[in-house]
Amino acid sequence: MPTTQVTMQTVAGRERLGVVTALMALARSTGGAAGAALFGAVAFAMMPAAGHGRSVTSAFHAGFLVFAAVAAAAAFAASRIPPLTLWDRAG
């Protein structure tokens, strides 16, 4: 994460340094909260009722499998972002 933050701060420049830093912090905390809430919702929705013979760990395995698929889709989408030259080196 520090690499992303430094990159965004460099691109934004001095005049927007605070705005970009705050935006990154907000995005990270919002994403973490949303991810934890979604994982909890998926895991607890798949929890078996008492007497069905399945363990609680199977619900967590299913939850991790769902989010592994989401992470794979996000990695694929990120790999499709075209390269961007931020600045030309004068030399």
Side-chain angles (χ1 to χ4, degrees):
M1 289 304 217
T3 305
T4 306
Q5 187 167 356
V6 169
T7 302
M8 288 190 65
Q9 289 172 344
T10 303
V11 171
R14 285 183 184 240
E15 60 276 355
R16 294 191 192 117
L17 186 63
V19 173
V20 170
T21 304
L23 183 62
M24 283 291 296
L26 177 67
R28 285 164 65 185
S29 64
T30 303
L38 287 173
F39 179 80
V42 168
F44 285 111
M46 294 182 176
M47 287 236 178
H52 280 134
R54 293 180 60 196
S55 68
V56 174
T57 57
S58 65
F60 281 94
H61 288 165
F64 278 115
L65 184 63
V66 166
F67 281 98
V70 169
F76 177 75
S79 72
R80 297 292 165 215
I81 296 174
L84 175 67
T85 302
L86 298 177
W87 56 79
D88 291 326
R89 292 187 181 190

